Every structure is written in C-alpha cells, then in structure tokens.
Amino acid sequence: MTDMRRTLLWVVFLMSLTFLWNNWNVHNGQPSMFAPAPAKPATTATAASGVPAPGQAGAAASPVGAASGVQVASELRTVKTDLFEATFDTKGADLVKLVLLKHPSDADPKQPLVLFDRSSDRQYLAQTGLITRQAGVTLPNHHTLLKPVAGDTVLKEGQDTLTVSFETPEPVGVTLRKSYVFKRGQYTIGVRHEVVNRSAAPVQPELYLQLVRDGTVPPSSMFMAPTAFTGPAIYTEEKHFQKVEFTDIEKRKAEYVKTADNGWIAMVQHYFNSAWLVQGKSQREFRTESLGNNLYSVAMVLPLGSVAPGATVTHEAQLYAGPQEETKLETLAPGLELVKDYGWFAVLAKPLFWLLDKLHGLIGNWGWAIVALVVLLKIAFYWLNASAYRSMAKMKAINPRIMEMRERLKDKPQQMQQEMMRIYREEKVNPLGGCLPILVQMPFFIALYWVLLSSVEMRNAPWLGWITDLSAKDPYYILPLLMTASTLLQTWLNPTPPDPVQARMMWIMPLIFSVFFFFFPAGLVLYWLTNNILGIAQQYVINKRLGVT
C-alpha cells in the first residue's frame, strides 16, 4: 500500500513538473509540447484585400475563394454606435475593422478591444457576395466596388436603429444593395441583401456569407492555463458543434457537415466570437478554405432561387460579433452558446455557470458569486468531505504508532508491511479513505475552473478593493499569498506520511502548486482560496471532535 502511494505521488509530481515546463514555454510564446507550433501571422497590410473572389461563370465546384481578377480602388466608411466602431471598405462593403467599445483591450485597458482588423499584424474580416453556377454570368461579389448610400453614420442619442447601405454603382445587369442594420444595445447586426435582376434573362444567384481570419493562435495570457480554441466552427442539427482546426484546413483534412437545411458558421477565440446566422430552414452549403499567406475562410452558401428579369429577391441574415455571453447567445440560434469552450467538462460546467449566473443576479458581484458558489458546493459535498476528513484524522491519530513501528521494524520490510496493515484493520482506517471522496469531487471543481477560465463575464469584473479584474492576476499577489498559507495549513492538518520521502513531498508539492497561483486570474485564486478555507474549517472541527491535534 505504501509503495503504491509513493509511486502515485511521484507520478503526480513528475506530471506536474512536465506541465509546468510546457506551460512556461507557452506563456513565453514558445510552442506547446502537446500541440503543433502556430502558423506565422500574415505580414502585409494588403493580405486581406488579395483574398481571391468567389467562383464565377460555370464554376459549379469553385470554392468561395476562387480567383477573381481586377483590383479596384476603394474607400473606407466608419460607423459608430453605442457598442461598435465599424469600418467598411466600399470594395464589397466588407466589414474590415470592428472595435468593441464596451470591452477594453488586453494590451492596453485604456483602449477598446479590436475584434475585426485588417493590419500588418492581424487579418479578420466579414465578407459577403454573390456567386452563380451559370456560365457567362457575372455577379457582384466582395471584390466589386460598391458606393455608399447617403445616410447617418453615427447612432445618435434617442435613436435605436442605424442602417448603413452600399449598392452597385451601375443599374445594369444584376445589381446588389447591401444594408447593415445596427440596433442599440445589441451585438447582432442585421445584414440585408437585395438582388435585382435588370438583365433580360433569369439568373440563379447564390449568396455567400464568409469570415476570413489569419491562422495565428495567440498563446494563453494566463500562466498554466490551457489555450482556448481559436478557429472556425460549424453547427448543424445533425452533427451539432464542430470545431475546425486551421491546420486541418491547410492539410485539406477538415471534417464537418458540408450541406444542411439549417445551421450557422462562426469564428471563435477566447471570450469573443463572430457568427453568420440565418433564421429558418433553407438549403445551405458549408465551406472552409486556405487562402494562402496564413489566411483561412469559413463560409455559408445559400441558393436564392431563380430570379426572373425585372424581379427582386431579398435575403435577411445576422452577423453576431461580440462577447461570449452564454445566456444571450442561447437566444440567438440553437447551439450558439457552444462557442464558449468548456473543454471536456461541458456537461458539468454548463449547470455550474447557470448557478453562478443566478447567484450573480442575486448578489450583483461576480467575486462574491464565486464565493457563494463554492459554499454551495461545499454544502452539497459536506458528508463526502466529512468522511475524507475523518479518515485523515484517524490516520493522524495513529501516526505515532506507525512511526514507532517503522523505526522498530526498519530492517524487516515485509513484517513492517504486515504490521502496518494490522494496525489499519484494528483502528478501522482506510489509507485511501481520504483520497476517494476528493477524487469524486474533482470533476466538479475542474468544471468550475473551466467556467471561470472561459466566462467573459469575469473579464474586467471587480470583486473588492484592489481586485478590479477577476480575469487578471492579483496585482499585489495578496490572494496567492493567502492561498499559499492556506495550502500549507491544510498540509499541517493532514496526517504526516510515515515514509520520510513522502513526508517531504507533502510539503514541497503544495509550495510548487502555489507558485502557479501567482500567475492565475484572481477569480480562480479566489475560488481555490475559498475552497481551502472552508476545507480547513471542516477538517479542524472534525480533528478536534476526534481529539486529534
């Protein structure tokens, strides 16, 4: 039994050192030992403008990024609302920059966060246009120069809706009018396409809704935290939420549902995402493509039917671009809340977040909601914890006998083992009794870890005093120091292992793990500290009740 515990302890210790080294490398911008190195970022500011245009005449199998042709001059048009500062390029009326005014930047909290961008460092755009399978027919796409329609570009006080439109300049052939509808307080932008067939023959246009992003996956900003998924995602009722890795797109090995009569596409990153949403059931095709220069696209293509000469067809879609606020995403489209990445523990994490959100609604502070949630979990597992603490208290009570016996029989290991088992039987002590209840609870606490790590609600959420952002590390390291003290106190309350090597490890390992917490977000440290304090209180009461000091 002792050998097994010693082996288990060393395995945990060596694994911890491995993950420590790996995450130290990731934290400092080096590739992970467990994942391929990220691709290099696009290096030219014009990379996005060089994205090929959709397939044209007769290109039935042509991808949304097939070659286009002529580059045209364009201009930028900026729109400002209560939530956005949006910049459009008149070439295709692409959304080439989107600033989230209510969310500060990670790099500079005094500046708002830039979600979409077209610069030398980042490429992230929303594009739309028309393609067709008819030979000899050319339709407006995201390389077509559109002209802005006169109108307001600022959402004024007392105004709830702002519409910004672009249209093809020449009223001949097939014309397109594209309108973006911004609503006060909403991260969902309505996007309306009006297609007018001014030609003499019917046309069969297909509308594509596309997101283009560079394939650079930023390392986690938090030490020892897993890197959140970054990349395209596709959702259908058949296969539900499907992540698509940039590397799989590059290798042409991406697997996902290609056609359906429902679903949406998204581009996901930590805390934020964009998504093209189309309400109701209608046939659609999903496509991903490597566009070169570390650029990747995910697109949804929707047939608009046959449009007779002189007829008009209108299509309504929605572009969501904002924070991953789970309760709000659930109302927009089936499964959209799944862009919030809970890892393997989603089945436990979702109800835990639901409870945390309800507590926040009652308390009004995310920090105190975390404390209240840990208290509720401790109450739920009270008897299980009590069983573990009683077992540890009994182990501590018989520890002097075990130490004396080990010294007496140190030259007779087999007899020592037999005598140790006899003492355990007489005292009705299970050496693993303190471990099993904790193992049962671990999935719940790991799931809560993922909740706190993934929830944008923690970003810039204050707790009290010096903690002004629960998603950032404690600036004065007060919580980590308290966490270290509480961990050492817990170690002191636990029984000392009879093996001197194990005894030393029992003190070394908490110190090593405590180092991690100096770099963890304050919300996570608060969660562990609260859990430790409640555990210490319960263990102290049980030890005192059993007469163990």
Side-chain angles (χ1 to χ4, degrees):
M1 183 70 71
T2 302
D3 289 341
M4 184 181 72
R5 291 180 63 190
R6 182 188 302 169
T7 302
L8 181 62
L9 203 61
W10 276 109
V11 168
V12 171
F13 180 63
L14 291 174
M15 287 180 64
S16 301
L17 288 180
T18 301
F19 282 113
L20 172 63
W21 176 252
N22 176 68
N23 283 281
W24 175 260
N25 285 333
V26 172
H27 181 68
N28 287 281
Q30 301 300 315
S32 169
M33 297 165 58
F34 310 111
K40 294 181 180 180
T43 56
T44 62
T46 59
S49 65
V51 175
Q56 290 292 340
S62 179
V64 172
S68 119
V70 183
Q71 298 293 315
V72 292
S74 62
E75 61 184 69
L76 301 179
R77 185 176 177 87
T78 300
V79 175
K80 189 169 183 178
T81 72
D82 58 325
L83 299 180
F84 296 123
E85 185 175 283
T87 301
F88 297 93
D89 191 331
T90 55
K91 186 173 72 173
D94 293 352
L95 182 51
V96 297
K97 187 172 184 178
L98 189 67
V99 181
L100 305 185
L101 300 176
K102 301 296 184 182
H103 292 270
S105 167
D106 289 322
D108 183 0
K110 295 181 180 179
Q111 298 295 322
L113 183 137
V114 179
L115 185 62
F116 291 176
D117 198 10
R118 187 175 65 183
S119 66
S120 59
D121 297 323
R122 295 180 62 234
Q123 305 286 323
Y124 190 177
L125 319 170
Q127 301 173 326
T128 72
L130 301 175
I131 57 176
T132 183
R133 301 170 192 266
Q134 294 173 273
V137 178
T138 300
L139 302 179
N141 56 51
H142 70 271
H143 277 274
T144 302
L145 184 64
L146 304 180
K147 67 176 183 180
V149 177
D152 291 338
T153 57
V154 176
L155 185 67
K156 299 175 182 176
E157 193 68 31
Q159 186 180 358
D160 292 328
T161 303
L162 175 65
T163 301
V164 180
S165 298
F166 303 83
E167 61 185 13
T168 45
E170 298 296 331
V172 293
V174 177
T175 63
L176 171 66
R177 183 184 179 104
K178 186 187 303 187
S179 299
Y180 292 87
V181 182
F182 297 86
K183 293 185 178 180
R184 183 176 296 276
Q186 294 187 17
Y187 286 101
T188 304
I189 305 168
V191 184
R192 182 170 60 250
H193 294 83
E194 299 173 71
V195 182
V196 183
N197 183 6
R198 303 182 189 277
S199 69
V203 293
Q204 297 175 342
E206 298 181 28
L207 171 69
Y208 65 88
L209 308 171
Q210 178 169 263
L211 297 166
V212 175
R213 192 189 190 282
D214 65 79
T216 303
V217 179
S220 172
S221 60
M222 292 167 286
F223 181 62
M224 278 298 291
T227 301
F229 171 73
T230 300
I234 295 171
Y235 181 92
T236 64
E237 292 177 359
E238 177 188 357
K239 292 293 186 179
H240 300 292
F241 186 66
Q242 305 153 79
K243 297 177 183 178
V244 184
E245 299 283 353
F246 290 128
T247 52
D248 289 338
I249 299 175
E250 186 71 39
K251 297 174 183 176
R252 300 182 182 275
K253 294 182 178 179
E255 295 184 1
Y256 52 89
V257 172
K258 301 299 191 295
T259 60
D261 64 357
N262 63 85
W264 45 262
I265 61 170
M267 195 67 77
V268 183
Q269 65 186 59
H270 193 207
Y271 289 142
F272 301 92
N273 72 277
S274 58
W276 280 111
L277 312 173
V278 176
Q279 301 299 323
K281 291 199 172 187
S282 60
Q283 196 60 34
R284 61 202 70 183
E285 179 184 353
F286 302 101
R287 304 181 185 182
T288 61
E289 188 181 1
S290 171
L291 304 176
N293 198 25
N294 191 34
L295 287 174
Y296 302 88
S297 67
V298 58
M300 183 163 53
V301 182
L302 305 104
L304 300 182
S306 181
V307 184
T312 300
V313 62
T314 300
H315 185 276
E316 301 280 353
Q318 291 180 312
L319 173 63
Y320 179 85
Q324 294 168 357
E325 296 176 335
E326 188 173 335
T327 53
K328 293 181 180 179
L329 293 178
E330 288 175 337
T331 65
L332 295 178
L336 188 57
E337 74 280 0
L338 297 175
V339 295
K340 184 178 179 181
D341 191 3
Y342 285 136
W344 292 96
F345 293 89
V347 67
L348 294 176
K350 283 182 67 67
L352 284 175
F353 176 78
W354 177 86
L355 182 55
L356 181 65
D357 186 53
K358 296 299 180 185
L359 290 170
H360 174 258
L362 293 173
I363 300 171
N365 180 285
W366 285 106
W368 289 117
I370 292 171
V371 173
L373 181 59
V374 178
V375 170
L376 290 179
L377 286 175
K378 277 294 184 181
I379 292 173
F381 291 111
Y382 177 82
W383 295 111
L384 200 59
N385 285 321
S387 173
Y389 294 146
R390 277 195 296 270
S391 179
M392 287 188 283
K394 289 179 180 179
M395 287 288 293
K396 190 169 186 176
I398 66 171
N399 199 54
R401 289 179 61 189
I402 297 292
M403 297 298 290
E404 183 276 329
M405 181 271 297
R406 287 180 62 87
E407 181 64 26
R408 178 164 43 86
L409 300 175
K410 61 184 177 181
D411 297 326
K412 302 175 180 178
Q414 186 174 357
Q415 186 178 349
M416 180 198 300
Q417 191 70 19
Q418 293 173 346
E419 183 67 13
M420 188 179 300
M421 297 306 297
R422 184 188 66 78
I423 294 174
Y424 287 155
R425 284 195 303 270
E426 286 181 356
E427 299 295 335
K428 298 180 179 179
V429 172
N430 180 359
L432 297 179
C435 301
L436 295 178
I438 294 174
L439 289 176
V440 171
Q441 298 173 67
M442 281 306 294
F444 291 88
F445 285 101
I446 294 174
L448 183 55
Y449 170 92
W450 275 96
V451 167
L452 300 179
L453 190 70
S454 305
S455 297
V456 69
E457 289 84 356
M458 303 298 132
R459 197 171 184 267
N460 299 293
W463 176 42
L464 56 79
W466 75 105
I467 301 297
T468 58
D469 183 354
L470 288 167
S471 71
K473 66 182 182 181
D474 184 336
Y476 302 112
Y477 302 106
I478 295 173
L479 285 178
L481 288 171
L482 292 175
M483 171 69 196
T484 302
S486 68
T487 303
L488 293 175
L489 180 56
Q490 269 194 322
T491 303
W492 179 76
L493 288 171
N494 289 337
T496 302
D499 186 336
V501 175
Q502 288 187 32
R504 285 193 294 271
M505 289 289 292
M506 287 293 289
W507 285 99
I508 293 172
M509 287 180 64
L511 288 173
I512 293 175
F513 282 120
S514 293
V515 170
F516 303 161
F517 285 88
F518 281 78
F519 303 93
F520 271 3
L524 289 172
V525 183
L526 176 61
Y527 142 58
W528 279 109
L529 176 60
T530 305
N531 184 60
N532 274 6
I533 291 172
L534 295 174
I536 288 168
Q538 188 176 5
Q539 190 172 356
Y540 175 78
V541 170
I542 289 174
N543 284 1
K544 193 169 184 180
R545 189 177 298 164
L546 295 177
V548 179
T549 57

